[in-house]
Amino acid sequence: MTKHYRVAILGSGFGGLGMAAQLKRAGIDNFAVFEKADSVGGVWRDNTYPGAACDTQAHVYCFTFFPHLRVSQMFAGGDEMLGYQVALKDAFGIEENMHYSSEIVSAVWNDTEAYWEITCDNGEKYTADFFVPAWGQLNSPKIPNWKGRENFKGEQFHSANWRHDLDLTGKKVISIGSAASAVQYVPEVAKVAGKLEVFMRSANYILPREQINFTAEQLDEFTANPEKFEESRREIHNMREAGFERTRNNTGAQEEGKQEALAYLAEAVADPELRAKLTPDYDFGCKRILRTSFFYPALQRDNVEVVTEGIDHFTEKGIVTTDGVEHEADVIIYGTGFYSQNFQGKLQIIGRDGVSLADRWGTEDAEAYIGLTVDGFPNMFLMYGPNTNLNHNSVVTMLEIQQRHVLDALEQTAELDKASVEVRPEVLREFNEKLQKEMELSSFSSDCSSWYKNSKGKVINNWSGTVEEYRQLAEKFNPRDFVVRSGETEVTL
């Protein structure tokens, strides 16, 4: 007999584990978390490159119901981020709900029974009243298909699939990319490589990471008096909320952010030629604003060179740039990002009337009401869906808001037989039109190449306002925005 769950969760990163913990807190234990790997962690499990760390303060990069009281640094390393997730799983007894090595390959809505039919790659089948995909936005590594890449005879890998078995000591290394991952691993590679060439398509605005290492006494105080931790969380949250104005074009706040970043560049890089290469030529906030205190010093090492010429083709020995120069390498590392707008990956999701989510969205036009629900796909709530990414505050706070929304929907429909909730098409359309209108004032819509936008310039990934504005809109499930049914009968809650 097919196992039935109240909720099926896809993924065990922050979104999936947080949702599971929230269900446990609400007394709902009839759920399953389907994880394709053999352990929890999401991006913090997968991205193990040297120097991996969180560029958001740890005191806001955790759930309010499970504060990271003993995190050792304000900008925590990847190992502590993963450790927090394991601790979260253990604290709420989620292990018993885990299905490891179980990648969901299809989810099909059964309109008659009002549940989702789930199939995993191991052939196991399940059903669930509610389906919560928590696949994230940065889980599918991207490597551009440059001409001749297959000809290179050396080693090559993406930063999200780091080759820990490969000793880079003394090697000639090329790193392609200079964004969020690269600024963390480049300083570490530079320490051991014989020669490191950093291929940079465009410069980024960088602010220094003002690291705080907590003393044992401070950690003991946070543990004994969690309100001190909460006070720190509130201060950081409010400070970062105020920083949202920096992402609005043609504002004094945006100019202030730009000048702060350029002042740091001028202070950190003495050579005018290198400084010119590292000076962005687009609006502040158009791309992700990076925080690191180690990248600029690494680029000034004797064994490091910044290459800004474009890539023409690969050879057996390395890469030929558009100026005709061949750059030889033993190892090529791709810090080239992710397929950030292909949310569902290869997963087949079939909603009402046999419509697939892939067809509903197309290749790069993902949209969802408050980033959570899509018309035609009843009882499906996305974690970290379209237009819920941030450039100014903690996405974990956004996830917690979304999880509360899902809990509210579950509670409001708990007494209905064969309950289904589906966002009204006009509600999603009006929401998206308003959001995209607001984006016209945002630096996210400026003229630069970023993973926030599709090829037509439409911002797919980012939220258009502050976290508190999102909270007011999304924390509660508003049944007026949905078609609510009990079986075939539409009902009013």
Short mmCIF file of all heavy atoms in Angstrom, two decimals, residues 236-296:
data_model
loop_
_atom_site.label_atom_id
_atom_site.label_comp_id
_atom_site.label_asym_id
_atom_site.label_seq_id
_atom_site.Cartn_x
_atom_site.Cartn_y
_atom_site.Cartn_z
N ILE A 236 20.96 43.84 14.11
CA ILE A 236 21.47 43.53 12.78
C ILE A 236 20.34 43.55 11.76
O ILE A 236 20.48 44.10 10.65
CB ILE A 236 22.18 42.17 12.78
CG1 ILE A 236 23.43 42.22 13.67
CG2 ILE A 236 22.57 41.76 11.36
CD1 ILE A 236 24.03 40.86 13.95
N HIS A 237 19.20 42.94 12.12
CA HIS A 237 18.05 42.92 11.20
C HIS A 237 17.63 44.34 10.84
O HIS A 237 17.42 44.65 9.65
CB HIS A 237 16.89 42.17 11.85
CG HIS A 237 15.63 42.23 11.06
ND1 HIS A 237 15.38 41.39 9.99
CD2 HIS A 237 14.53 43.04 11.16
CE1 HIS A 237 14.20 41.67 9.46
NE2 HIS A 237 13.66 42.66 10.16
N ASN A 238 17.51 45.19 11.83
CA ASN A 238 17.06 46.56 11.57
C ASN A 238 18.08 47.34 10.75
O ASN A 238 17.72 48.14 9.87
CB ASN A 238 16.78 47.29 12.89
CG ASN A 238 15.58 46.72 13.62
OD1 ASN A 238 14.71 46.11 13.01
ND2 ASN A 238 15.52 46.91 14.92
N MET A 239 19.36 47.12 11.04
CA MET A 239 20.41 47.78 10.27
C MET A 239 20.36 47.36 8.81
O MET A 239 20.44 48.19 7.90
CB MET A 239 21.78 47.45 10.89
CG MET A 239 22.97 48.04 10.14
SD MET A 239 23.63 46.89 8.88
CE MET A 239 24.30 45.58 9.93
N ARG A 240 20.17 46.08 8.57
CA ARG A 240 20.15 45.58 7.20
C ARG A 240 18.85 45.98 6.49
O ARG A 240 18.86 46.22 5.28
CB ARG A 240 20.36 44.07 7.18
CG ARG A 240 21.75 43.69 7.73
CD ARG A 240 22.17 42.31 7.29
NE ARG A 240 22.42 42.27 5.85
CZ ARG A 240 23.33 41.52 5.26
NH1 ARG A 240 24.13 40.77 5.99
NH2 ARG A 240 23.47 41.49 3.95
N GLU A 241 17.76 46.06 7.22
CA GLU A 241 16.52 46.54 6.62
C GLU A 241 16.68 47.98 6.13
O GLU A 241 16.23 48.34 5.04
CB GLU A 241 15.37 46.47 7.63
CG GLU A 241 14.78 45.10 7.82
CD GLU A 241 13.93 44.64 6.64
OE1 GLU A 241 14.52 44.07 5.70
OE2 GLU A 241 12.71 44.85 6.65
N ALA A 242 17.33 48.80 6.95
CA ALA A 242 17.58 50.19 6.55
C ALA A 242 18.45 50.24 5.30
O ALA A 242 18.31 51.15 4.47
CB ALA A 242 18.23 50.95 7.70
N GLY A 243 19.32 49.25 5.14
CA GLY A 243 20.20 49.21 3.98
C GLY A 243 19.50 48.89 2.68
O GLY A 243 20.11 48.99 1.61
N PHE A 244 18.22 48.52 2.76
CA PHE A 244 17.49 48.23 1.53
C PHE A 244 17.46 49.44 0.59
O PHE A 244 17.45 49.28 -0.64
CB PHE A 244 16.05 47.80 1.85
CG PHE A 244 15.20 47.60 0.63
CD1 PHE A 244 15.37 46.48 -0.18
CD2 PHE A 244 14.25 48.55 0.25
CE1 PHE A 244 14.61 46.31 -1.32
CE2 PHE A 244 13.48 48.38 -0.89
CZ PHE A 244 13.66 47.25 -1.68
N GLU A 245 17.46 50.64 1.14
CA GLU A 245 17.42 51.84 0.31
C GLU A 245 18.60 51.93 -0.65
O GLU A 245 18.52 52.59 -1.69
CB GLU A 245 17.39 53.09 1.19
CG GLU A 245 16.02 53.39 1.79
CD GLU A 245 14.95 53.60 0.71
OE1 GLU A 245 15.18 54.41 -0.20
OE2 GLU A 245 13.90 52.94 0.78
N ARG A 246 19.67 51.22 -0.32
CA ARG A 246 20.84 51.21 -1.20
C ARG A 246 20.56 50.49 -2.51
O ARG A 246 21.33 50.62 -3.46
CB ARG A 246 22.03 50.58 -0.49
CG ARG A 246 22.59 51.42 0.66
CD ARG A 246 23.85 50.80 1.22
NE ARG A 246 24.53 51.72 2.12
CZ ARG A 246 25.76 51.54 2.60
NH1 ARG A 246 26.44 50.45 2.26
NH2 ARG A 246 26.31 52.42 3.41
N THR A 247 19.50 49.70 -2.55
CA THR A 247 19.18 48.97 -3.78
C THR A 247 18.18 49.73 -4.64
O THR A 247 17.73 49.20 -5.66
CB THR A 247 18.61 47.58 -3.46
OG1 THR A 247 17.31 47.71 -2.86
CG2 THR A 247 19.53 46.81 -2.51
N ARG A 248 17.84 50.93 -4.26
CA ARG A 248 16.94 51.76 -5.07
C ARG A 248 17.78 52.72 -5.90
O ARG A 248 18.64 53.42 -5.38
CB ARG A 248 15.96 52.54 -4.19
CG ARG A 248 14.95 51.67 -3.46
CD ARG A 248 13.86 52.53 -2.84
NE ARG A 248 12.95 51.77 -2.01
CZ ARG A 248 11.90 51.10 -2.47
NH1 ARG A 248 11.64 51.11 -3.77
NH2 ARG A 248 11.11 50.44 -1.65
N ASN A 249 17.51 52.76 -7.19
CA ASN A 249 18.30 53.59 -8.09
C ASN A 249 18.11 55.08 -7.81
O ASN A 249 17.02 55.53 -7.42
CB ASN A 249 17.91 53.31 -9.55
CG ASN A 249 18.74 52.18 -10.14
OD1 ASN A 249 19.80 51.83 -9.62
ND2 ASN A 249 18.25 51.60 -11.22
N ASN A 250 19.20 55.82 -8.04
CA ASN A 250 19.17 57.28 -7.97
C ASN A 250 18.77 57.80 -6.59
O ASN A 250 18.05 58.80 -6.46
CB ASN A 250 18.23 57.85 -9.04
CG ASN A 250 18.60 57.39 -10.43
OD1 ASN A 250 19.77 57.42 -10.82
ND2 ASN A 250 17.60 56.94 -11.19
N THR A 251 19.22 57.11 -5.56
CA THR A 251 18.97 57.58 -4.20
C THR A 251 20.30 57.93 -3.54
O THR A 251 21.36 57.45 -3.94
CB THR A 251 18.28 56.50 -3.36
OG1 THR A 251 19.14 55.35 -3.27
CG2 THR A 251 16.94 56.10 -3.97
N GLY A 252 20.22 58.75 -2.52
CA GLY A 252 21.42 59.08 -1.77
C GLY A 252 22.02 57.87 -1.10
O GLY A 252 23.24 57.74 -0.99
N ALA A 253 21.16 56.95 -0.67
CA ALA A 253 21.63 55.73 -0.02
C ALA A 253 22.42 54.86 -1.00
O ALA A 253 23.46 54.28 -0.63
CB ALA A 253 20.45 54.94 0.54
N GLN A 254 21.96 54.77 -2.25
CA GLN A 254 22.69 54.00 -3.25
C GLN A 254 24.06 54.62 -3.50
O GLN A 254 25.07 53.90 -3.57
CB GLN A 254 21.90 53.92 -4.55
CG GLN A 254 22.58 53.06 -5.61
CD GLN A 254 21.92 53.17 -6.97
OE1 GLN A 254 21.60 54.27 -7.43
NE2 GLN A 254 21.70 52.03 -7.62
N GLU A 255 24.12 55.91 -3.62
CA GLU A 255 25.39 56.60 -3.84
C GLU A 255 26.31 56.39 -2.64
O GLU A 255 27.53 56.21 -2.81
CB GLU A 255 25.15 58.08 -4.09
CG GLU A 255 26.41 58.89 -4.38
CD GLU A 255 27.14 58.47 -5.65
OE1 GLU A 255 26.48 57.85 -6.54
OE2 GLU A 255 28.35 58.73 -5.76
N GLU A 256 25.75 56.42 -1.46
CA GLU A 256 26.54 56.19 -0.26
C GLU A 256 27.17 54.79 -0.28
O GLU A 256 28.36 54.63 0.04
CB GLU A 256 25.65 56.34 0.98
CG GLU A 256 26.36 56.07 2.29
CD GLU A 256 25.41 56.11 3.47
OE1 GLU A 256 24.43 55.33 3.48
OE2 GLU A 256 25.63 56.92 4.39
N GLY A 257 26.38 53.78 -0.66
CA GLY A 257 26.91 52.42 -0.76
C GLY A 257 28.01 52.32 -1.79
O GLY A 257 29.03 51.67 -1.56
N LYS A 258 27.79 52.96 -2.94
CA LYS A 258 28.79 52.94 -4.00
C LYS A 258 30.10 53.55 -3.52
O LYS A 258 31.18 52.97 -3.72
CB LYS A 258 28.27 53.70 -5.21
CG LYS A 258 29.28 53.85 -6.33
CD LYS A 258 28.69 54.64 -7.49
CE LYS A 258 29.72 54.86 -8.60
NZ LYS A 258 29.16 55.62 -9.73
N GLN A 259 30.02 54.71 -2.88
CA GLN A 259 31.22 55.39 -2.44
C GLN A 259 31.95 54.62 -1.34
O GLN A 259 33.18 54.62 -1.27
CB GLN A 259 30.88 56.81 -1.96
CG GLN A 259 30.41 57.74 -3.08
CD GLN A 259 31.39 57.80 -4.25
OE1 GLN A 259 32.63 57.83 -4.05
NE2 GLN A 259 30.86 57.81 -5.47
N GLU A 260 31.18 53.93 -0.50
CA GLU A 260 31.80 53.12 0.53
C GLU A 260 32.60 51.97 -0.09
O GLU A 260 33.72 51.67 0.33
CB GLU A 260 30.72 52.55 1.46
CG GLU A 260 31.26 51.76 2.63
CD GLU A 260 30.17 51.25 3.55
OE1 GLU A 260 29.03 51.78 3.50
OE2 GLU A 260 30.44 50.31 4.33
N ALA A 261 32.02 51.35 -1.11
CA ALA A 261 32.72 50.25 -1.79
C ALA A 261 33.95 50.76 -2.53
O ALA A 261 35.02 50.13 -2.49
CB ALA A 261 31.77 49.55 -2.75
N LEU A 262 33.84 51.89 -3.22
CA LEU A 262 34.97 52.43 -3.97
C LEU A 262 36.07 52.91 -3.03
O LEU A 262 37.27 52.81 -3.35
CB LEU A 262 34.50 53.57 -4.87
CG LEU A 262 33.58 53.17 -6.02
CD1 LEU A 262 33.19 54.40 -6.84
CD2 LEU A 262 34.24 52.12 -6.91
N ALA A 263 35.69 53.43 -1.86
CA ALA A 263 36.68 53.86 -0.88
C ALA A 263 37.47 52.66 -0.36
O ALA A 263 38.69 52.73 -0.17
CB ALA A 263 36.00 54.59 0.27
N TYR A 264 36.76 51.55 -0.15
CA TYR A 264 37.45 50.33 0.29
C TYR A 264 38.40 49.84 -0.79
O TYR A 264 39.54 49.43 -0.51
CB TYR A 264 36.44 49.25 0.66
CG TYR A 264 37.07 47.91 0.92
CD1 TYR A 264 38.09 47.77 1.88
CD2 TYR A 264 36.68 46.78 0.21
CE1 TYR A 264 38.69 46.54 2.11
CE2 TYR A 264 37.27 45.54 0.44
CZ TYR A 264 38.28 45.43 1.39
OH TYR A 264 38.88 44.21 1.61
N LEU A 265 37.97 49.89 -2.05
CA LEU A 265 38.83 49.48 -3.16
C LEU A 265 40.08 50.35 -3.22
O LEU A 265 41.20 49.84 -3.38
CB LEU A 265 38.05 49.58 -4.48
CG LEU A 265 38.83 49.36 -5.77
CD1 LEU A 265 39.45 47.96 -5.81
CD2 LEU A 265 37.92 49.56 -6.98
N ALA A 266 39.90 51.64 -3.09
CA ALA A 266 41.04 52.57 -3.16
C ALA A 266 42.01 52.33 -2.01
O ALA A 266 43.24 52.42 -2.18
CB ALA A 266 40.54 54.01 -3.13
N GLU A 267 41.46 52.00 -0.85
CA GLU A 267 42.30 51.75 0.31
C GLU A 267 43.05 50.42 0.19
O GLU A 267 44.21 50.30 0.60
CB GLU A 267 41.43 51.72 1.57
CG GLU A 267 42.17 51.35 2.85
CD GLU A 267 41.23 51.18 4.03
OE1 GLU A 267 40.07 51.62 3.94
OE2 GLU A 267 41.66 50.59 5.04
N ALA A 268 42.38 49.42 -0.40
CA ALA A 268 42.94 48.06 -0.42
C ALA A 268 43.86 47.80 -1.59
O ALA A 268 44.74 46.94 -1.51
CB ALA A 268 41.80 47.04 -0.41
N VAL A 269 43.68 48.53 -2.71
CA VAL A 269 44.45 48.25 -3.94
C VAL A 269 45.21 49.50 -4.34
O VAL A 269 44.61 50.50 -4.76
CB VAL A 269 43.52 47.79 -5.08
CG1 VAL A 269 44.34 47.52 -6.34
CG2 VAL A 269 42.75 46.54 -4.67
N ALA A 270 46.52 49.44 -4.23
CA ALA A 270 47.35 50.62 -4.52
C ALA A 270 47.61 50.81 -6.01
O ALA A 270 47.67 51.95 -6.50
CB ALA A 270 48.68 50.51 -3.77
N ASP A 271 47.75 49.71 -6.74
CA ASP A 271 48.11 49.79 -8.15
C ASP A 271 46.95 50.33 -8.97
O ASP A 271 45.86 49.73 -9.00
CB ASP A 271 48.50 48.41 -8.67
CG ASP A 271 48.82 48.42 -10.15
OD1 ASP A 271 49.67 49.22 -10.56
OD2 ASP A 271 48.18 47.64 -10.90
N PRO A 272 47.12 51.47 -9.67
CA PRO A 272 46.00 52.08 -10.41
C PRO A 272 45.48 51.22 -11.55
O PRO A 272 44.28 51.24 -11.85
CB PRO A 272 46.59 53.40 -10.92
CG PRO A 272 48.07 53.22 -10.89
CD PRO A 272 48.34 52.29 -9.75
N GLU A 273 46.35 50.44 -12.20
CA GLU A 273 45.90 49.60 -13.30
C GLU A 273 45.00 48.47 -12.79
O GLU A 273 43.94 48.20 -13.37
CB GLU A 273 47.11 49.02 -14.04
CG GLU A 273 46.73 48.18 -15.25
CD GLU A 273 47.95 47.67 -16.01
OE1 GLU A 273 49.06 48.20 -15.78
OE2 GLU A 273 47.79 46.73 -16.82
N LEU A 274 45.41 47.83 -11.72
CA LEU A 274 44.59 46.78 -11.13
C LEU A 274 43.30 47.36 -10.56
O LEU A 274 42.22 46.78 -10.71
CB LEU A 274 45.37 46.05 -10.04
CG LEU A 274 44.61 44.94 -9.31
CD1 LEU A 274 44.12 43.87 -10.28
CD2 LEU A 274 45.48 44.32 -8.21
N ARG A 275 43.41 48.51 -9.94
CA ARG A 275 42.22 49.14 -9.36
C ARG A 275 41.19 49.46 -10.44
O ARG A 275 39.99 49.32 -10.23
CB ARG A 275 42.62 50.40 -8.59
CG ARG A 275 41.50 50.95 -7.71
CD ARG A 275 42.03 51.93 -6.68
NE ARG A 275 42.61 53.11 -7.29
CZ ARG A 275 43.89 53.47 -7.17
NH1 ARG A 275 44.72 52.74 -6.47
NH2 ARG A 275 44.33 54.57 -7.75
N ALA A 276 41.67 49.87 -11.61
CA ALA A 276 40.75 50.16 -12.72
C ALA A 276 40.02 48.89 -13.15
O ALA A 276 38.82 48.92 -13.46
CB ALA A 276 41.51 50.77 -13.88
N LYS A 277 40.74 47.77 -13.19
CA LYS A 277 40.12 46.50 -13.56
C LYS A 277 39.04 46.10 -12.55
O LYS A 277 38.04 45.47 -12.91
CB LYS A 277 41.16 45.38 -13.63
CG LYS A 277 42.11 45.45 -14.80
CD LYS A 277 43.05 44.24 -14.79
CE LYS A 277 43.98 44.25 -16.00
NZ LYS A 277 44.86 43.05 -16.02
N LEU A 278 39.24 46.48 -11.29
CA LEU A 278 38.35 46.06 -10.22
C LEU A 278 37.25 47.07 -9.93
O LEU A 278 36.50 46.91 -8.96
CB LEU A 278 39.17 45.81 -8.95
CG LEU A 278 40.23 44.70 -9.05
CD1 LEU A 278 41.07 44.63 -7.79
CD2 LEU A 278 39.57 43.36 -9.32
N THR A 279 37.13 48.10 -10.76
CA THR A 279 36.11 49.12 -10.57
C THR A 279 34.87 48.79 -11.39
O THR A 279 34.94 48.74 -12.62
CB THR A 279 36.64 50.51 -10.97
OG1 THR A 279 37.80 50.83 -10.17
CG2 THR A 279 35.58 51.58 -10.75
N PRO A 280 33.72 48.56 -10.76
CA PRO A 280 32.50 48.22 -11.50
C PRO A 280 32.05 49.38 -12.39
O PRO A 280 32.29 50.56 -12.07
CB PRO A 280 31.47 47.96 -10.39
CG PRO A 280 32.29 47.66 -9.16
CD PRO A 280 33.52 48.51 -9.31
N ASP A 281 31.38 49.05 -13.49
CA ASP A 281 30.90 50.07 -14.42
C ASP A 281 29.37 50.03 -14.53
O ASP A 281 28.80 50.33 -15.57
CB ASP A 281 31.53 49.89 -15.81
CG ASP A 281 31.22 48.52 -16.40
OD1 ASP A 281 30.56 47.69 -15.73
OD2 ASP A 281 31.65 48.26 -17.55
N TYR A 282 28.71 49.66 -13.44
CA TYR A 282 27.25 49.56 -13.43
C TYR A 282 26.73 50.08 -12.09
O TYR A 282 27.51 50.35 -11.16
CB TYR A 282 26.80 48.12 -13.67
CG TYR A 282 27.47 47.12 -12.76
CD1 TYR A 282 26.97 46.86 -11.48
CD2 TYR A 282 28.64 46.45 -13.15
CE1 TYR A 282 27.59 45.96 -10.63
CE2 TYR A 282 29.26 45.55 -12.31
CZ TYR A 282 28.73 45.30 -11.05
OH TYR A 282 29.36 44.43 -10.21
N ASP A 283 25.43 50.18 -11.96
CA ASP A 283 24.82 50.73 -10.75
C ASP A 283 25.08 49.83 -9.54
O ASP A 283 25.03 48.60 -9.62
CB ASP A 283 23.30 50.89 -10.93
CG ASP A 283 22.94 51.96 -11.92
OD1 ASP A 283 23.72 52.94 -12.04
OD2 ASP A 283 21.89 51.84 -12.58
N PHE A 284 25.31 50.47 -8.42
CA PHE A 284 25.49 49.75 -7.15
C PHE A 284 24.22 48.96 -6.84
O PHE A 284 23.11 49.50 -6.87
CB PHE A 284 25.76 50.76 -6.03
CG PHE A 284 26.03 50.14 -4.68
CD1 PHE A 284 27.28 49.66 -4.37
CD2 PHE A 284 25.02 50.05 -3.73
CE1 PHE A 284 27.54 49.09 -3.12
CE2 PHE A 284 25.26 49.49 -2.48
CZ PHE A 284 26.52 49.01 -2.18
N GLY A 285 24.38 47.66 -6.58
CA GLY A 285 23.23 46.82 -6.26
C GLY A 285 22.69 46.05 -7.43
O GLY A 285 21.83 45.18 -7.25
N CYS A 286 23.16 46.33 -8.64
CA CYS A 286 22.66 45.60 -9.80
C CYS A 286 23.05 44.13 -9.71
O CYS A 286 22.27 43.24 -10.05
CB CYS A 286 23.20 46.21 -11.09
SG CYS A 286 22.50 45.48 -12.59
N LYS A 287 24.26 43.87 -9.25
CA LYS A 287 24.70 42.51 -8.94
C LYS A 287 24.74 42.36 -7.42
O LYS A 287 24.61 43.34 -6.69
CB LYS A 287 26.10 42.25 -9.51
CG LYS A 287 26.22 42.23 -11.03
CD LYS A 287 27.68 42.03 -11.41
CE LYS A 287 27.90 42.05 -12.91
NZ LYS A 287 27.49 40.79 -13.54
N ARG A 288 24.94 41.15 -6.99
CA ARG A 288 25.07 40.88 -5.56
C ARG A 288 26.25 41.65 -4.98
O ARG A 288 27.35 41.62 -5.54
CB ARG A 288 25.28 39.38 -5.35
CG ARG A 288 25.39 38.95 -3.90
CD ARG A 288 25.44 37.44 -3.81
NE ARG A 288 25.69 36.97 -2.46
CZ ARG A 288 25.74 35.68 -2.13
NH1 ARG A 288 25.55 34.76 -3.07
NH2 ARG A 288 25.97 35.31 -0.88
N ILE A 289 26.02 42.35 -3.90
CA ILE A 289 27.07 43.09 -3.21
C ILE A 289 27.83 42.09 -2.33
O ILE A 289 27.24 41.39 -1.51
CB ILE A 289 26.48 44.23 -2.37
CG1 ILE A 289 25.71 45.19 -3.27
CG2 ILE A 289 27.57 44.96 -1.60
CD1 ILE A 289 24.76 46.11 -2.54
N LEU A 290 29.14 42.03 -2.50
CA LEU A 290 29.95 41.02 -1.84
C LEU A 290 30.64 41.57 -0.61
O LEU A 290 30.95 42.77 -0.54
CB LEU A 290 30.99 40.46 -2.82
CG LEU A 290 30.43 39.95 -4.16
CD1 LEU A 290 31.56 39.45 -5.03
CD2 LEU A 290 29.39 38.85 -3.93
N ARG A 291 30.89 40.68 0.34
CA ARG A 291 31.61 41.06 1.56
C ARG A 291 32.80 40.13 1.76
O ARG A 291 32.64 38.93 1.96
CB ARG A 291 30.69 41.00 2.78
CG ARG A 291 29.68 42.13 2.85
CD ARG A 291 28.89 42.09 4.15
NE ARG A 291 27.99 43.23 4.25
CZ ARG A 291 28.29 44.41 4.76
NH1 ARG A 291 29.52 44.59 5.24
NH2 ARG A 291 27.43 45.38 4.80
N THR A 292 33.98 40.69 1.67
CA THR A 292 35.20 39.92 1.92
C THR A 292 36.35 40.89 2.21
O THR A 292 36.41 41.98 1.63
CB THR A 292 35.58 39.04 0.72
OG1 THR A 292 36.87 38.46 0.94
CG2 THR A 292 35.62 39.83 -0.58
N SER A 293 37.23 40.48 3.09
CA SER A 293 38.42 41.28 3.39
C SER A 293 39.68 40.63 2.84
O SER A 293 40.78 41.14 3.06
CB SER A 293 38.55 41.48 4.90
OG SER A 293 37.45 42.21 5.41
N PHE A 294 39.52 39.51 2.11
CA PHE A 294 40.69 38.74 1.68
C PHE A 294 40.90 38.73 0.18
O PHE A 294 41.99 38.37 -0.28
CB PHE A 294 40.56 37.29 2.18
CG PHE A 294 40.34 37.18 3.66
CD1 PHE A 294 39.15 36.67 4.17
CD2 PHE A 294 41.30 37.60 4.56
CE1 PHE A 294 38.93 36.57 5.53
CE2 PHE A 294 41.11 37.50 5.92
CZ PHE A 294 39.92 36.99 6.41
N PHE A 295 39.87 39.09 -0.61
CA PHE A 295 39.97 38.96 -2.06
C PHE A 295 40.96 39.95 -2.64
O PHE A 295 41.86 39.57 -3.41
CB PHE A 295 38.59 39.16 -2.68
CG PHE A 295 38.53 38.89 -4.17
CD1 PHE A 295 38.87 37.66 -4.68
CD2 PHE A 295 38.12 39.88 -5.05
CE1 PHE A 295 38.80 37.39 -6.04
CE2 PHE A 295 38.04 39.63 -6.41
CZ PHE A 295 38.39 38.38 -6.91
N TYR A 296 40.84 41.22 -2.32
CA TYR A 296 41.75 42.23 -2.87
C TYR A 296 43.21 41.94 -2.51
O TYR A 296 44.09 42.02 -3.38
CB TYR A 296 41.35 43.63 -2.41
CG TYR A 296 40.09 44.17 -3.06
CD1 TYR A 296 39.34 45.15 -2.42
CD2 TYR A 296 39.65 43.73 -4.30
CE1 TYR A 296 38.19 45.68 -3.00
CE2 TYR A 296 38.51 44.24 -4.89
CZ TYR A 296 37.78 45.22 -4.23
OH TYR A 296 36.64 45.73 -4.81
#
